[in-house]
Amino acid sequence: MSAHGPHGGVSVVICVYTEDRWEDILAAVSSVRAQSLPALETLLVVDHNPALLERLGKEFKEPEDVRVLANAGPRGLSAGRNTGIAVSRGGIIAFLDDDAVAERDWLRHFTAGYDDPLVMAVGGRTEPVWSSGRRPAWFPEEFDWVVGCTYKGLPRGKVRVRNVLGGNASFRRSAFDAAGGFATGIGRDGDKRPLGCEETELCIRLTRARPDAVLLIDDRAVIHHRVPAGRERFAYFRTRAYAEGLSKALVAQSVGADKGLESERRYATRVLPAGVARGVRDFVLARPGGAGRAGAIVAGVLTTAGGYALGSFRARRTGATFSVVEIRAAEGGGGPS
């Protein structure tokens, strides 16, 4: 299958915001350029950082397969992604975190999913790369979403899902024609409070606009995501869990609690109790970290619930909303779908 292929080729969007991740950014781009199925292009979208924009522009001045551009919208990850979508040329648009590297067949597995014309999105599996060299003994796999990775409880293999996870995901271009872009005012903004769920909201909106749409996760499409030392600490775990609760409240306000919390109910009633039971068992068997993992799951649930309760109260009181933009292809952008 060629880079352009029957689907119009794949554009890879990597949103970047800080020079602190310079080496990570270069590694992410290198992993895209080493794909067994070449990308049509790699788009580096710089989030309101003129120094980084200039430096990357010099770094990738020559290569024709890498384009560097500024976020054309408000500060934040959602607007950066929308900027990349608007100028991209591929029929499929893939997203890669700026501190992750993709395995060689990442795009090949993504692209294969679109052989079915009803498939509108394909996500992959994200593995943590711990800065300390190993998972902290207390850190439960059920909460790997805290560090942007695939968590225990997600189905394995190639399966239908409600939503893909944004740092390792792809969409058919026509998905954005049907549903619009990522909502601004809900996702991450640099190093500020680590809100999220913008891809969840988009996927729910997409399936409402296209009820026949199929969304998949193929866990053969693997990336490795770096977890910095600060995110291996319990203080970050708690902060991120609280922010997730706030974000989920915004999503539920937008799309309704039935869809907004559909997957979370199964996770909370089946996956997490099983995780607590394993932690208690490991503690009884004197295995390292058992009590810590059980305690972290309980703390994570309570903190997320607290964030959700406060977020719901604020949303009801203020009528909080966020903006969904229509994606308009820039000149030279917008490939076939």
Side-chain angles (χ1 to χ4, degrees):
M1 192 183 294
S2 71
H4 297 263
H7 310 296
V10 184
S11 296
V12 177
V13 175
I14 303 174
C15 294
V16 302
Y17 70 97
T18 175
E19 289 185 85
D20 294 344
R21 292 187 176 180
W22 180 258
E23 295 300 328
D24 291 333
I25 294 167
L26 298 186
V29 172
S30 293
S31 75
V32 175
R33 298 174 102 179
Q35 289 294 300
S36 60
L37 176 70
L40 183 63
E41 60 187 346
T42 299
L43 303 171
L44 289 171
V45 184
V46 183
D47 193 16
H48 298 269
N49 185 333
L52 179 58
L53 182 68
E54 182 180 3
R55 188 177 178 189
L56 284 170
K58 291 177 180 176
E59 179 74 22
F60 295 106
K61 187 176 181 180
E62 300 299 328
E64 294 183 1
D65 62 328
V66 180
R67 287 197 280 164
V68 179
L69 56 149
N71 178 2
R75 186 184 298 275
L77 182 58
S78 291
R81 286 173 174 163
N82 291 339
T83 298
I85 296 163
V87 305
S88 62
R89 302 195 307 262
I92 297 167
I93 301 152
F95 299 93
L96 179 65
D97 276 343
D98 64 344
D99 53 355
V101 293
E103 290 192 0
R104 180 170 165 76
D105 292 327
W106 178 61
L107 291 182
R108 185 175 296 280
H109 290 306
F110 271 174
T111 305
Y114 294 99
D115 290 342
D116 179 348
L118 293 180
V119 170
M120 289 288 122
V122 182
R125 178 161 50 94
T126 302
E127 297 284 357
V129 180
W130 304 96
S131 292
S132 60
R134 60 192 300 181
R135 171 185 297 275
W138 63 269
F139 202 114
E141 292 180 47
E142 291 83 359
F143 273 79
D144 277 4
W145 54 263
V146 163
V147 291
C149 294
T150 300
Y151 54 91
K152 191 180 189 72
L154 282 179
R156 299 302 300 263
K158 189 174 183 178
V159 293
R160 287 189 70 163
V161 291
R162 179 195 66 182
N163 63 276
V164 295
L165 304 178
N168 179 14
S170 64
F171 291 84
R172 200 184 290 274
R173 173 172 297 282
S174 53
F176 300 110
D177 297 335
F182 288 92
T184 57
I186 183 173
R188 280 178 178 266
D189 176 359
D191 289 316
K192 295 183 179 179
R193 174 168 281 162
L195 298 172
C197 296
E198 65 275 16
E199 63 274 0
T200 301
E201 192 276 337
L202 170 64
C203 289
I204 294 172
R205 188 167 14 104
L206 171 60
T207 52
R208 286 188 169 172
R210 287 281 304 270
D212 60 342
V214 174
L215 283 61
L216 299 174
I217 282 184
D218 186 340
D219 66 8
R220 299 171 300 172
V222 179
I223 70 169
H224 299 270
H225 185 270
R226 192 171 69 80
V227 181
R231 296 186 182 183
E232 294 186 11
R233 300 188 184 120
F234 184 69
Y236 179 82
F237 177 92
R238 193 171 51 192
T239 299
R240 179 68 186 86
Y242 180 74
E244 182 74 4
L246 292 174
S247 299
K248 280 287 189 292
L250 276 176
V251 172
Q253 169 85 353
S254 170
V255 302
D258 56 337
K259 278 289 181 186
L261 298 176
E262 186 178 51
S263 298
E264 288 74 14
R265 288 194 183 95
R266 176 189 170 277
Y267 172 75
T269 57
R270 299 184 190 176
V271 176
L272 294 184
V276 171
R278 275 193 301 274
V280 171
R281 180 199 63 197
D282 288 349
F283 171 70
V284 170
L285 297 175
R287 293 172 180 164
R293 287 192 299 277
I297 290 174
V298 173
V301 169
L302 294 176
T303 307
T304 305
Y308 181 83
L310 180 60
S312 298
F313 172 74
R314 285 177 178 169
R316 285 195 301 270
R317 190 182 65 181
T318 65
T321 59
F322 38 86
S323 303
V324 177
V325 300
E326 181 182 344
I327 300 292
R328 291 185 177 87
E331 186 177 349
S337 59

